[in-house]
Amino acid sequence: MNMQPLLNESIQQITGQLQNWRRDFHHFAESGWFEFRTATIVADELHRLGYSLKMGKEVIKAEARMGLPSVQALQEQEQRAIKQGALVQWLPHFSGGFTGIVATLDTGKAGPTLAFRVDMDALDLDEDQSHVHRPYTEDFSSCNAKMMHACGHDGHTAIGLGLARILKQYEDQLTGKIKLIFQPAEEGTRGAKSMVEAGVVDDVDFFIAIHIGLGIPMGELVCGNGSFLATTKIDVIYRGVASHAGGKPEEGKNALLAAAQAALGLNAMPRHSKGISRINVGVLQAGSGRNVIPDHALMKVETRGETNEINEFIYDKALSIIEGAATMQDVEYEIQLMGAAQSSKPSPAWVDFIYQQVQQHVPELSSVVKSGEQAMGSEDATYFMERVKANGGQASYLVFGTELSAGHHHGQFDFNEDVLAIAVKTLATLTIHLPDFNTQFNQ
């Protein structure tokens, strides 16, 4: 039976709802580990649809979270979420920053487990509030200071909910299990590792993470995005001894100088000959007055590598430089891990299958390519991908092209919302036709 005409009609029926979800999440933007309102709305919709839910500490390993805000900040943001319409019956699952959800549709029929990951968090960024910016003129720009969906995660969450509706509608035609993973704190690569260590993809045979935009034109799909760079993100805190710079300079221990020397040393380190390597000092904060020897300095650093091994090489060198600068100035130092991601390449057979199915069944995508250019950024969906592949499964990362009003992480970021329905149709099509994978690739 050709289900595509029925699927087209079903997608058309939820197009308005996809936009409504996206704009609601955009207006009430919540950054990483603060997705309290978003998570309650997602959980309520999935529960209403009849999905089996695991939430909060069931799907997030507490000690594996990275870049976690303070307890006070988490409490304040939870109260803010309540005032902005969070569904309080669901909040106990997410309190304390455990804002992850895994929804499972078990068809009761033999078959593999397929998982999709969408992310929910906004950026720590103020949104443009001018008449050149559509979210402002159409009254859905962010109402939360220093929180903005400037990377499309509001759209990703809407796609996940739309997919949930469609899959439930076609449940009788599906086999195996489908997992929908709603991940917090992707920005800064902080959230995926904690979900992987909680075991949420240990039973997964096929895995897809998605993104919209990324410079891909509207109507184009990249089935297997090029390898992401492995990364490690750290905060370095130097602690010295304050003293009067004129009266008692010999009693001081200068944390600012330690950080400055480390910053210069980090940027001067040799790169790696076997692939792309990066290091950046993005923030350096120190000092209180011109006549005071600084006793405290904060430095925010990231390393990246084309492979996990290259990133580890750069990171190990960075640790030596950071320690050496502390020794030079006789200060103490502390390193806090704030985020991390791995390098990962998509599974070739899975990419081939996606390519074939989309070419055959999704005419809305006028251009389908198997792999994009080498990524210069990082993505913590790579933790999911690598765990699935390590267990013998197949994984890929899909990018749906769309027109953008400004680049990602920009205060005027916006996208063509037509991409939402295209993405839902593509993912639903892959789910419906998944039984064909074994036929095509003899696995």
Side-chain angles (χ1 to χ4, degrees), residues 33 53-62 65 93-94 98-103 179-184 191-201 384:
W33 303 122
L53 299 185
K54 290 189 175 181
M55 297 169 285
K57 294 179 182 179
E58 293 179 291
V59 297
I60 292 178
K61 189 173 183 179
R65 292 179 296 173
H93 296 282
F94 309 120
F98 291 90
T99 45
I101 303 167
V102 177
K179 282 188 167 185
L180 304 177
I181 301 168
F182 291 81
Q183 181 204 317
K193 186 172 186 286
S194 63
M195 299 191 83
V196 170
E197 293 198 9
V200 303
V201 292
F384 293 111

PDB file of all heavy atoms in Angstrom, residues 33 53-62 65 93-94 98-103 179-184 191-201 384:
ATOM      1  N   TRP A  33      19.554  23.614  30.693  1.00  0.00           N
ATOM      2  CA  TRP A  33      19.201  23.120  32.019  1.00  0.00           C
ATOM      3  C   TRP A  33      18.066  23.925  32.663  1.00  0.00           C
ATOM      4  O   TRP A  33      17.645  23.622  33.766  1.00  0.00           O
ATOM      5  CB  TRP A  33      20.404  23.075  32.968  1.00  0.00           C
ATOM      6  CG  TRP A  33      21.552  22.258  32.477  1.00  0.00           C
ATOM      7  CD1 TRP A  33      22.829  22.680  32.268  1.00  0.00           C
ATOM      8  CD2 TRP A  33      21.555  20.848  32.151  1.00  0.00           C
ATOM      9  NE1 TRP A  33      23.629  21.654  31.827  1.00  0.00           N
ATOM     10  CE2 TRP A  33      22.873  20.520  31.744  1.00  0.00           C
ATOM     11  CE3 TRP A  33      20.577  19.861  32.151  1.00  0.00           C
ATOM     12  CZ2 TRP A  33      23.235  19.229  31.344  1.00  0.00           C
ATOM     13  CZ3 TRP A  33      20.933  18.574  31.761  1.00  0.00           C
ATOM     14  CH2 TRP A  33      22.242  18.279  31.371  1.00  0.00           C
ATOM     15  N   LEU A  53       6.624   7.356  28.825  1.00  0.00           N
ATOM     16  CA  LEU A  53       7.585   8.423  29.112  1.00  0.00           C
ATOM     17  C   LEU A  53       8.573   8.032  30.209  1.00  0.00           C
ATOM     18  O   LEU A  53       8.197   7.421  31.211  1.00  0.00           O
ATOM     19  CB  LEU A  53       6.857   9.695  29.552  1.00  0.00           C
ATOM     20  CG  LEU A  53       5.885  10.337  28.571  1.00  0.00           C
ATOM     21  CD1 LEU A  53       5.364  11.652  29.139  1.00  0.00           C
ATOM     22  CD2 LEU A  53       6.537  10.567  27.219  1.00  0.00           C
ATOM     23  N   LYS A  54       9.818   8.407  29.987  1.00  0.00           N
ATOM     24  CA  LYS A  54      10.828   8.448  31.035  1.00  0.00           C
ATOM     25  C   LYS A  54      11.371   9.866  31.055  1.00  0.00           C
ATOM     26  O   LYS A  54      11.641  10.453  30.004  1.00  0.00           O
ATOM     27  CB  LYS A  54      11.941   7.439  30.790  1.00  0.00           C
ATOM     28  CG  LYS A  54      11.506   5.999  30.980  1.00  0.00           C
ATOM     29  CD  LYS A  54      12.697   5.053  30.933  1.00  0.00           C
ATOM     30  CE  LYS A  54      12.266   3.621  31.238  1.00  0.00           C
ATOM     31  NZ  LYS A  54      13.414   2.680  31.218  1.00  0.00           N
ATOM     32  N   MET A  55      11.541  10.413  32.253  1.00  0.00           N
ATOM     33  CA  MET A  55      11.861  11.831  32.369  1.00  0.00           C
ATOM     34  C   MET A  55      12.855  12.073  33.491  1.00  0.00           C
ATOM     35  O   MET A  55      13.035  11.247  34.388  1.00  0.00           O
ATOM     36  CB  MET A  55      10.581  12.628  32.655  1.00  0.00           C
ATOM     37  CG  MET A  55       9.541  12.566  31.554  1.00  0.00           C
ATOM     38  SD  MET A  55       7.939  13.247  32.058  1.00  0.00           S
ATOM     39  CE  MET A  55       7.336  11.915  33.100  1.00  0.00           C
ATOM     40  N   GLY A  56      13.489  13.241  33.429  1.00  0.00           N
ATOM     41  CA  GLY A  56      14.327  13.698  34.521  1.00  0.00           C
ATOM     42  C   GLY A  56      15.453  12.744  34.861  1.00  0.00           C
ATOM     43  O   GLY A  56      16.225  12.326  33.998  1.00  0.00           O
ATOM     44  N   LYS A  57      15.530  12.365  36.121  1.00  0.00           N
ATOM     45  CA  LYS A  57      16.627  11.524  36.595  1.00  0.00           C
ATOM     46  C   LYS A  57      16.597  10.119  35.997  1.00  0.00           C
ATOM     47  O   LYS A  57      17.599   9.412  36.061  1.00  0.00           O
ATOM     48  CB  LYS A  57      16.594  11.451  38.128  1.00  0.00           C
ATOM     49  CG  LYS A  57      16.885  12.791  38.786  1.00  0.00           C
ATOM     50  CD  LYS A  57      16.823  12.701  40.302  1.00  0.00           C
ATOM     51  CE  LYS A  57      17.077  14.062  40.941  1.00  0.00           C
ATOM     52  NZ  LYS A  57      16.998  14.024  42.414  1.00  0.00           N
ATOM     53  N   GLU A  58      15.467   9.722  35.426  1.00  0.00           N
ATOM     54  CA  GLU A  58      15.409   8.427  34.746  1.00  0.00           C
ATOM     55  C   GLU A  58      16.251   8.421  33.472  1.00  0.00           C
ATOM     56  O   GLU A  58      16.717   7.369  33.038  1.00  0.00           O
ATOM     57  CB  GLU A  58      13.968   8.084  34.373  1.00  0.00           C
ATOM     58  CG  GLU A  58      13.033   7.832  35.525  1.00  0.00           C
ATOM     59  CD  GLU A  58      11.640   7.518  35.034  1.00  0.00           C
ATOM     60  OE1 GLU A  58      10.977   8.431  34.486  1.00  0.00           O
ATOM     61  OE2 GLU A  58      11.203   6.349  35.192  1.00  0.00           O
ATOM     62  N   VAL A  59      16.448   9.595  32.875  1.00  0.00           N
ATOM     63  CA  VAL A  59      17.129   9.667  31.581  1.00  0.00           C
ATOM     64  C   VAL A  59      18.356  10.584  31.605  1.00  0.00           C
ATOM     65  O   VAL A  59      18.997  10.785  30.582  1.00  0.00           O
ATOM     66  CB  VAL A  59      16.166  10.128  30.470  1.00  0.00           C
ATOM     67  CG1 VAL A  59      15.049   9.107  30.288  1.00  0.00           C
ATOM     68  CG2 VAL A  59      15.589  11.512  30.758  1.00  0.00           C
ATOM     69  N   ILE A  60      18.671  11.132  32.754  1.00  0.00           N
ATOM     70  CA  ILE A  60      19.838  12.007  32.891  1.00  0.00           C
ATOM     71  C   ILE A  60      20.643  11.561  34.106  1.00  0.00           C
ATOM     72  O   ILE A  60      20.121  11.508  35.219  1.00  0.00           O
ATOM     73  CB  ILE A  60      19.423  13.478  33.056  1.00  0.00           C
ATOM     74  CG1 ILE A  60      18.801  14.001  31.763  1.00  0.00           C
ATOM     75  CG2 ILE A  60      20.609  14.346  33.457  1.00  0.00           C
ATOM     76  CD1 ILE A  60      18.312  15.426  31.849  1.00  0.00           C
ATOM     77  N   LYS A  61      21.907  11.236  33.872  1.00  0.00           N
ATOM     78  CA  LYS A  61      22.801  10.872  34.965  1.00  0.00           C
ATOM     79  C   LYS A  61      23.347  12.151  35.579  1.00  0.00           C
ATOM     80  O   LYS A  61      24.062  12.920  34.921  1.00  0.00           O
ATOM     81  CB  LYS A  61      23.937   9.992  34.445  1.00  0.00           C
ATOM     82  CG  LYS A  61      24.787   9.378  35.550  1.00  0.00           C
ATOM     83  CD  LYS A  61      25.777   8.385  34.965  1.00  0.00           C
ATOM     84  CE  LYS A  61      26.584   7.726  36.083  1.00  0.00           C
ATOM     85  NZ  LYS A  61      27.550   6.729  35.527  1.00  0.00           N
ATOM     86  N   ALA A  62      23.014  12.369  36.834  1.00  0.00           N
ATOM     87  CA  ALA A  62      23.273  13.659  37.474  1.00  0.00           C
ATOM     88  C   ALA A  62      24.731  14.073  37.382  1.00  0.00           C
ATOM     89  O   ALA A  62      25.059  15.205  37.000  1.00  0.00           O
ATOM     90  CB  ALA A  62      22.817  13.613  38.935  1.00  0.00           C
ATOM     91  N   ARG A  65      26.253  15.562  34.031  1.00  0.00           N
ATOM     92  CA  ARG A  65      25.862  16.864  33.483  1.00  0.00           C
ATOM     93  C   ARG A  65      27.061  17.807  33.499  1.00  0.00           C
ATOM     94  O   ARG A  65      27.890  17.768  34.408  1.00  0.00           O
ATOM     95  CB  ARG A  65      24.711  17.464  34.291  1.00  0.00           C
ATOM     96  CG  ARG A  65      23.405  16.711  34.157  1.00  0.00           C
ATOM     97  CD  ARG A  65      22.300  17.336  35.000  1.00  0.00           C
ATOM     98  NE  ARG A  65      22.600  17.269  36.419  1.00  0.00           N
ATOM     99  CZ  ARG A  65      21.868  17.852  37.364  1.00  0.00           C
ATOM    100  NH1 ARG A  65      20.804  18.572  37.023  1.00  0.00           N
ATOM    101  NH2 ARG A  65      22.199  17.734  38.640  1.00  0.00           N
ATOM    102  N   HIS A  93       9.366  16.204  37.932  1.00  0.00           N
ATOM    103  CA  HIS A  93      10.287  15.358  37.170  1.00  0.00           C
ATOM    104  C   HIS A  93      11.531  16.128  36.734  1.00  0.00           C
ATOM    105  O   HIS A  93      12.609  15.548  36.612  1.00  0.00           O
ATOM    106  CB  HIS A  93       9.592  14.815  35.923  1.00  0.00           C
ATOM    107  CG  HIS A  93       8.443  13.897  36.200  1.00  0.00           C
ATOM    108  ND1 HIS A  93       8.615  12.585  36.569  1.00  0.00           N
ATOM    109  CD2 HIS A  93       7.099  14.122  36.157  1.00  0.00           C
ATOM    110  CE1 HIS A  93       7.429  12.020  36.744  1.00  0.00           C
ATOM    111  NE2 HIS A  93       6.495  12.929  36.511  1.00  0.00           N
ATOM    112  N   PHE A  94      11.381  17.429  36.509  1.00  0.00           N
ATOM    113  CA  PHE A  94      12.445  18.221  35.892  1.00  0.00           C
ATOM    114  C   PHE A  94      13.155  19.153  36.869  1.00  0.00           C
ATOM    115  O   PHE A  94      14.164  19.763  36.516  1.00  0.00           O
ATOM    116  CB  PHE A  94      11.858  19.043  34.740  1.00  0.00           C
ATOM    117  CG  PHE A  94      11.051  18.223  33.771  1.00  0.00           C
ATOM    118  CD1 PHE A  94       9.707  18.494  33.540  1.00  0.00           C
ATOM    119  CD2 PHE A  94      11.633  17.160  33.099  1.00  0.00           C
ATOM    120  CE1 PHE A  94       8.958  17.732  32.654  1.00  0.00           C
ATOM    121  CE2 PHE A  94      10.887  16.379  32.213  1.00  0.00           C
ATOM    122  CZ  PHE A  94       9.556  16.667  31.992  1.00  0.00           C
ATOM    123  N   PHE A  98      16.899  18.670  35.597  1.00  0.00           N
ATOM    124  CA  PHE A  98      16.866  17.354  34.943  1.00  0.00           C
ATOM    125  C   PHE A  98      15.824  17.386  33.819  1.00  0.00           C
ATOM    126  O   PHE A  98      14.842  16.640  33.830  1.00  0.00           O
ATOM    127  CB  PHE A  98      16.537  16.271  35.962  1.00  0.00           C
ATOM    128  CG  PHE A  98      17.634  16.046  36.967  1.00  0.00           C
ATOM    129  CD1 PHE A  98      17.663  16.749  38.158  1.00  0.00           C
ATOM    130  CD2 PHE A  98      18.661  15.146  36.710  1.00  0.00           C
ATOM    131  CE1 PHE A  98      18.680  16.549  39.088  1.00  0.00           C
ATOM    132  CE2 PHE A  98      19.690  14.937  37.625  1.00  0.00           C
ATOM    133  CZ  PHE A  98      19.696  15.643  38.817  1.00  0.00           C
ATOM    134  N   THR A  99      16.054  18.240  32.844  1.00  0.00           N
ATOM    135  CA  THR A  99      15.017  18.599  31.882  1.00  0.00           C
ATOM    136  C   THR A  99      15.077  17.767  30.600  1.00  0.00           C
ATOM    137  O   THR A  99      14.943  18.306  29.493  1.00  0.00           O
ATOM    138  CB  THR A  99      15.117  20.090  31.557  1.00  0.00           C
ATOM    139  OG1 THR A  99      16.499  20.430  31.322  1.00  0.00           O
ATOM    140  CG2 THR A  99      14.595  20.934  32.694  1.00  0.00           C
ATOM    141  N   GLY A 100      15.265  16.470  30.721  1.00  0.00           N
ATOM    142  CA  GLY A 100      15.290  15.584  29.568  1.00  0.00           C
ATOM    143  C   GLY A 100      14.087  14.660  29.544  1.00  0.00           C
ATOM    144  O   GLY A 100      13.522  14.313  30.595  1.00  0.00           O
ATOM    145  N   ILE A 101      13.688  14.246  28.329  1.00  0.00           N
ATOM    146  CA  ILE A 101      12.533  13.372  28.143  1.00  0.00           C
ATOM    147  C   ILE A 101      12.858  12.336  27.074  1.00  0.00           C
ATOM    148  O   ILE A 101      13.454  12.669  26.042  1.00  0.00           O
ATOM    149  CB  ILE A 101      11.292  14.166  27.681  1.00  0.00           C
ATOM    150  CG1 ILE A 101      10.949  15.284  28.667  1.00  0.00           C
ATOM    151  CG2 ILE A 101      10.080  13.246  27.480  1.00  0.00           C
ATOM    152  CD1 ILE A 101       9.943  16.284  28.121  1.00  0.00           C
ATOM    153  N   VAL A 102      12.461  11.090  27.325  1.00  0.00           N
ATOM    154  CA  VAL A 102      12.517  10.051  26.303  1.00  0.00           C
ATOM    155  C   VAL A 102      11.123   9.436  26.200  1.00  0.00           C
ATOM    156  O   VAL A 102      10.612   8.885  27.176  1.00  0.00           O
ATOM    157  CB  VAL A 102      13.562   8.968  26.624  1.00  0.00           C
ATOM    158  CG1 VAL A 102      13.526   7.871  25.554  1.00  0.00           C
ATOM    159  CG2 VAL A 102      14.959   9.572  26.714  1.00  0.00           C
ATOM    160  N   ALA A 103      10.530   9.558  25.022  1.00  0.00           N
ATOM    161  CA  ALA A 103       9.193   9.004  24.778  1.00  0.00           C
ATOM    162  C   ALA A 103       9.327   7.790  23.875  1.00  0.00           C
ATOM    163  O   ALA A 103      10.002   7.852  22.845  1.00  0.00           O
ATOM    164  CB  ALA A 103       8.301  10.053  24.121  1.00  0.00           C
ATOM    165  N   LYS A 179      11.889   5.681  19.609  1.00  0.00           N
ATOM    166  CA  LYS A 179      12.198   6.540  20.743  1.00  0.00           C
ATOM    167  C   LYS A 179      12.374   7.978  20.256  1.00  0.00           C
ATOM    168  O   LYS A 179      13.077   8.222  19.277  1.00  0.00           O
ATOM    169  CB  LYS A 179      13.495   6.094  21.434  1.00  0.00           C
ATOM    170  CG  LYS A 179      13.360   4.884  22.331  1.00  0.00           C
ATOM    171  CD  LYS A 179      14.661   4.671  23.101  1.00  0.00           C
ATOM    172  CE  LYS A 179      14.473   3.686  24.235  1.00  0.00           C
ATOM    173  NZ  LYS A 179      15.701   3.549  25.062  1.00  0.00           N
ATOM    174  N   LEU A 180      11.734   8.889  20.954  1.00  0.00           N
ATOM    175  CA  LEU A 180      11.908  10.313  20.698  1.00  0.00           C
ATOM    176  C   LEU A 180      12.637  10.918  21.888  1.00  0.00           C
ATOM    177  O   LEU A 180      12.119  10.921  23.008  1.00  0.00           O
ATOM    178  CB  LEU A 180      10.558  10.988  20.485  1.00  0.00           C
ATOM    179  CG  LEU A 180       9.683  10.399  19.370  1.00  0.00           C
ATOM    180  CD1 LEU A 180       8.335  11.116  19.316  1.00  0.00           C
ATOM    181  CD2 LEU A 180      10.386  10.498  18.025  1.00  0.00           C
ATOM    182  N   ILE A 181      13.848  11.398  21.647  1.00  0.00           N
ATOM    183  CA  ILE A 181      14.712  11.913  22.709  1.00  0.00           C
ATOM    184  C   ILE A 181      14.695  13.441  22.646  1.00  0.00           C
ATOM    185  O   ILE A 181      15.135  14.035  21.652  1.00  0.00           O
ATOM    186  CB  ILE A 181      16.147  11.393  22.560  1.00  0.00           C
ATOM    187  CG1 ILE A 181      16.169   9.862  22.602  1.00  0.00           C
ATOM    188  CG2 ILE A 181      17.053  11.986  23.636  1.00  0.00           C
ATOM    189  CD1 ILE A 181      17.496   9.260  22.174  1.00  0.00           C
ATOM    190  N   PHE A 182      14.185  14.065  23.687  1.00  0.00           N
ATOM    191  CA  PHE A 182      14.172  15.518  23.801  1.00  0.00           C
ATOM    192  C   PHE A 182      15.278  15.914  24.765  1.00  0.00           C
ATOM    193  O   PHE A 182      15.169  15.705  25.980  1.00  0.00           O
ATOM    194  CB  PHE A 182      12.806  16.009  24.270  1.00  0.00           C
ATOM    195  CG  PHE A 182      11.712  15.827  23.244  1.00  0.00           C
ATOM    196  CD1 PHE A 182      11.089  14.595  23.076  1.00  0.00           C
ATOM    197  CD2 PHE A 182      11.317  16.892  22.436  1.00  0.00           C
ATOM    198  CE1 PHE A 182      10.085  14.425  22.131  1.00  0.00           C
ATOM    199  CE2 PHE A 182      10.312  16.726  21.481  1.00  0.00           C
ATOM    200  CZ  PHE A 182       9.694  15.494  21.332  1.00  0.00           C
ATOM    201  N   GLN A 183      16.338  16.476  24.215  1.00  0.00           N
ATOM    202  CA  GLN A 183      17.569  16.712  24.983  1.00  0.00           C
ATOM    203  C   GLN A 183      17.711  18.158  25.434  1.00  0.00           C
ATOM    204  O   GLN A 183      17.523  19.077  24.642  1.00  0.00           O
ATOM    205  CB  GLN A 183      18.790  16.351  24.130  1.00  0.00           C
ATOM    206  CG  GLN A 183      20.116  16.548  24.860  1.00  0.00           C
ATOM    207  CD  GLN A 183      21.283  16.769  23.929  1.00  0.00           C
ATOM    208  OE1 GLN A 183      21.416  16.099  22.919  1.00  0.00           O
ATOM    209  NE2 GLN A 183      22.146  17.738  24.254  1.00  0.00           N
ATOM    210  N   PRO A 184      18.072  18.370  26.685  1.00  0.00           N
ATOM    211  CA  PRO A 184      18.412  19.721  27.144  1.00  0.00           C
ATOM    212  C   PRO A 184      19.882  20.046  26.870  1.00  0.00           C
ATOM    213  O   PRO A 184      20.694  19.161  26.575  1.00  0.00           O
ATOM    214  CB  PRO A 184      18.165  19.629  28.655  1.00  0.00           C
ATOM    215  CG  PRO A 184      18.503  18.204  28.997  1.00  0.00           C
ATOM    216  CD  PRO A 184      18.080  17.392  27.785  1.00  0.00           C
ATOM    217  N   GLY A 191      24.672  18.536  27.382  1.00  0.00           N
ATOM    218  CA  GLY A 191      23.601  17.668  27.851  1.00  0.00           C
ATOM    219  C   GLY A 191      23.602  16.230  27.402  1.00  0.00           C
ATOM    220  O   GLY A 191      23.127  15.340  28.124  1.00  0.00           O
ATOM    221  N   ALA A 192      24.119  15.943  26.209  1.00  0.00           N
ATOM    222  CA  ALA A 192      23.955  14.599  25.642  1.00  0.00           C
ATOM    223  C   ALA A 192      24.685  13.526  26.442  1.00  0.00           C
ATOM    224  O   ALA A 192      24.167  12.425  26.636  1.00  0.00           O
ATOM    225  CB  ALA A 192      24.445  14.584  24.192  1.00  0.00           C
ATOM    226  N   LYS A 193      25.882  13.834  26.898  1.00  0.00           N
ATOM    227  CA  LYS A 193      26.674  12.829  27.602  1.00  0.00           C
ATOM    228  C   LYS A 193      25.922  12.274  28.808  1.00  0.00           C
ATOM    229  O   LYS A 193      25.960  11.063  29.084  1.00  0.00           O
ATOM    230  CB  LYS A 193      28.003  13.427  28.048  1.00  0.00           C
ATOM    231  CG  LYS A 193      28.985  12.435  28.674  1.00  0.00           C
ATOM    232  CD  LYS A 193      30.333  13.102  28.893  1.00  0.00           C
ATOM    233  CE  LYS A 193      31.376  12.104  29.369  1.00  0.00           C
ATOM    234  NZ  LYS A 193      31.167  11.709  30.784  1.00  0.00           N
ATOM    235  N   SER A 194      25.188  13.136  29.511  1.00  0.00           N
ATOM    236  CA  SER A 194      24.465  12.684  30.703  1.00  0.00           C
ATOM    237  C   SER A 194      23.323  11.751  30.337  1.00  0.00           C
ATOM    238  O   SER A 194      22.974  10.848  31.101  1.00  0.00           O
ATOM    239  CB  SER A 194      23.934  13.883  31.493  1.00  0.00           C
ATOM    240  OG  SER A 194      23.000  14.622  30.727  1.00  0.00           O
ATOM    241  N   MET A 195      22.719  11.939  29.151  1.00  0.00           N
ATOM    242  CA  MET A 195      21.657  11.045  28.712  1.00  0.00           C
ATOM    243  C   MET A 195      22.232   9.729  28.201  1.00  0.00           C
ATOM    244  O   MET A 195      21.673   8.652  28.450  1.00  0.00           O
ATOM    245  CB  MET A 195      20.796  11.713  27.642  1.00  0.00           C
ATOM    246  CG  MET A 195      20.091  12.976  28.111  1.00  0.00           C
ATOM    247  SD  MET A 195      18.837  13.593  26.942  1.00  0.00           S
ATOM    248  CE  MET A 195      17.423  12.565  27.388  1.00  0.00           C
ATOM    249  N   VAL A 196      23.345   9.795  27.520  1.00  0.00           N
ATOM    250  CA  VAL A 196      24.000   8.570  27.048  1.00  0.00           C
ATOM    251  C   VAL A 196      24.426   7.715  28.235  1.00  0.00           C
ATOM    252  O   VAL A 196      24.230   6.484  28.237  1.00  0.00           O
ATOM    253  CB  VAL A 196      25.202   8.916  26.154  1.00  0.00           C
ATOM    254  CG1 VAL A 196      26.032   7.677  25.858  1.00  0.00           C
ATOM    255  CG2 VAL A 196      24.723   9.531  24.843  1.00  0.00           C
ATOM    256  N   GLU A 197      25.007   8.339  29.250  1.00  0.00           N
ATOM    257  CA  GLU A 197      25.454   7.581  30.426  1.00  0.00           C
ATOM    258  C   GLU A 197      24.287   7.049  31.239  1.00  0.00           C
ATOM    259  O   GLU A 197      24.459   6.118  32.032  1.00  0.00           O
ATOM    260  CB  GLU A 197      26.387   8.435  31.280  1.00  0.00           C
ATOM    261  CG  GLU A 197      27.703   8.730  30.585  1.00  0.00           C
ATOM    262  CD  GLU A 197      28.789   9.191  31.532  1.00  0.00           C
ATOM    263  OE1 GLU A 197      28.600   9.123  32.766  1.00  0.00           O
ATOM    264  OE2 GLU A 197      29.844   9.619  31.031  1.00  0.00           O
ATOM    265  N   ALA A 198      23.094   7.611  31.035  1.00  0.00           N
ATOM    266  CA  ALA A 198      21.892   7.052  31.661  1.00  0.00           C
ATOM    267  C   ALA A 198      21.336   5.876  30.869  1.00  0.00           C
ATOM    268  O   ALA A 198      20.362   5.252  31.285  1.00  0.00           O
ATOM    269  CB  ALA A 198      20.821   8.128  31.810  1.00  0.00           C
ATOM    270  N   GLY A 199      21.949   5.582  29.711  1.00  0.00           N
ATOM    271  CA  GLY A 199      21.594   4.390  28.954  1.00  0.00           C
ATOM    272  C   GLY A 199      20.447   4.541  27.977  1.00  0.00           C
ATOM    273  O   GLY A 199      19.897   3.536  27.512  1.00  0.00           O
ATOM    274  N   VAL A 200      20.097   5.780  27.592  1.00  0.00           N
ATOM    275  CA  VAL A 200      18.871   5.952  26.813  1.00  0.00           C
ATOM    276  C   VAL A 200      18.982   5.416  25.385  1.00  0.00           C
ATOM    277  O   VAL A 200      17.950   5.192  24.740  1.00  0.00           O
ATOM    278  CB  VAL A 200      18.423   7.433  26.790  1.00  0.00           C
ATOM    279  CG1 VAL A 200      18.224   7.953  28.205  1.00  0.00           C
ATOM    280  CG2 VAL A 200      19.399   8.305  26.026  1.00  0.00           C
ATOM    281  N   VAL A 201      20.188   5.215  24.866  1.00  0.00           N
ATOM    282  CA  VAL A 201      20.310   4.660  23.508  1.00  0.00           C
ATOM    283  C   VAL A 201      20.995   3.291  23.495  1.00  0.00           C
ATOM    284  O   VAL A 201      21.383   2.798  22.436  1.00  0.00           O
ATOM    285  CB  VAL A 201      21.063   5.625  22.557  1.00  0.00           C
ATOM    286  CG1 VAL A 201      20.242   6.869  22.298  1.00  0.00           C
ATOM    287  CG2 VAL A 201      22.446   5.974  23.084  1.00  0.00           C
ATOM    288  N   PHE A 384      25.576  10.312  21.324  1.00  0.00           N
ATOM    289  CA  PHE A 384      24.557   9.319  20.968  1.00  0.00           C
ATOM    290  C   PHE A 384      25.030   8.475  19.784  1.00  0.00           C
ATOM    291  O   PHE A 384      24.912   7.247  19.793  1.00  0.00           O
ATOM    292  CB  PHE A 384      23.246  10.013  20.592  1.00  0.00           C
ATOM    293  CG  PHE A 384      22.547  10.720  21.710  1.00  0.00           C
ATOM    294  CD1 PHE A 384      22.459  12.102  21.726  1.00  0.00           C
ATOM    295  CD2 PHE A 384      21.949  10.015  22.740  1.00  0.00           C
ATOM    296  CE1 PHE A 384      21.800  12.764  22.747  1.00  0.00           C
ATOM    297  CE2 PHE A 384      21.283  10.665  23.769  1.00  0.00           C
ATOM    298  CZ  PHE A 384      21.215  12.047  23.770  1.00  0.00           C
TER     299      PHE A 384
END
